[in-house]
Each structure stands twice: as C-alpha cells, then as structure tokens.
C-alpha cells in the first residue's frame, strides 16, 4: 500500500460549493503575481492534457472568459 500524500504548502485550491466555485490562494512573502501567472499557464496545459485537447482550445475559452466575465469571484471567509 502506498503511503498517503501529505500536502503542507498549498498554493491554491478551487472547489465546488453548490452553484459557486470557491477559490482560495495562499501566497508566501516571496511570491509574485508573475509567479502565479506561470502556475496558471501550467494549469491550462494540464487541463488540455486531461481532456485530450490542444492547449489552444483551452486558451480560447480562457480568453473568452477573460474578456467577457460570466462568473463571480468567491473566496472562503
């Protein structure tokens, strides 16, 4: 049996809470918005791979949402 994975330095978590997707971001003192931007790029690549589509197909939807926001931001209290 594999040992459980222990995650002690979370960067961000997104979860479904009813009709809302809640996002929580933990930043450390040496983190920057540029660094998190790179993480988002990695996430887009992982989404493309997970759904077996070209990366550009995911970026297309990211750009659509970016320029015409259809969701609200929800953060945990």
């Amino acid at each position: 049996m594999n040992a459980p994975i222990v995650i002690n330095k979370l960067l961000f978590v997104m979860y479904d809470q009813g009709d809302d997707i809640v996002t929580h971001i933990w930043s450390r003192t040496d983190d920057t918005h540029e660094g998190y931007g790179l993480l988002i790029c990695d996430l887009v690549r992982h989404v493309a791979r997970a759904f077996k589509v070209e990366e550009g197909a995911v970026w297309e939807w990211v750009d659509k949402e970016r320029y015409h926001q259809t969701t609200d931001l929800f953060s945990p209290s």
Side-chain angles (χ1 to χ4, degrees):
M1 180 185 259
N2 293 334
I5 296 173
V6 177
I7 302 171
N8 10 354
K9 293 185 180 178
L10 292 171
L11 300 173
F12 59 87
V13 171
M14 297 177 78
Y15 59 92
D16 185 343
Q17 188 169 37
D19 291 334
D20 301 324
I21 300 296
V22 179
T23 303
H24 187 86
I25 297 176
W26 291 270
S27 60
R28 300 164 296 195
T29 55
D30 58 340
D31 289 333
T32 65
H33 67 281
E34 293 97 343
Y36 272 78
L38 293 175
L39 291 174
I40 292 165
C41 291
D42 287 345
L43 180 60
V44 166
R45 293 182 189 107
H46 283 285
V47 168
R49 182 183 299 165
F51 287 92
K52 296 178 175 66
V53 298
E54 294 293 322
E55 183 182 321
V58 181
W59 281 117
E60 179 182 342
W61 281 98
V62 169
D63 285 338
K64 286 180 182 180
E65 179 64 19
R66 179 178 170 204
Y67 293 113
H68 301 286
Q69 185 176 337
T70 61
T71 59
D72 294 323
L73 298 178
F74 293 96
S75 299
S77 313

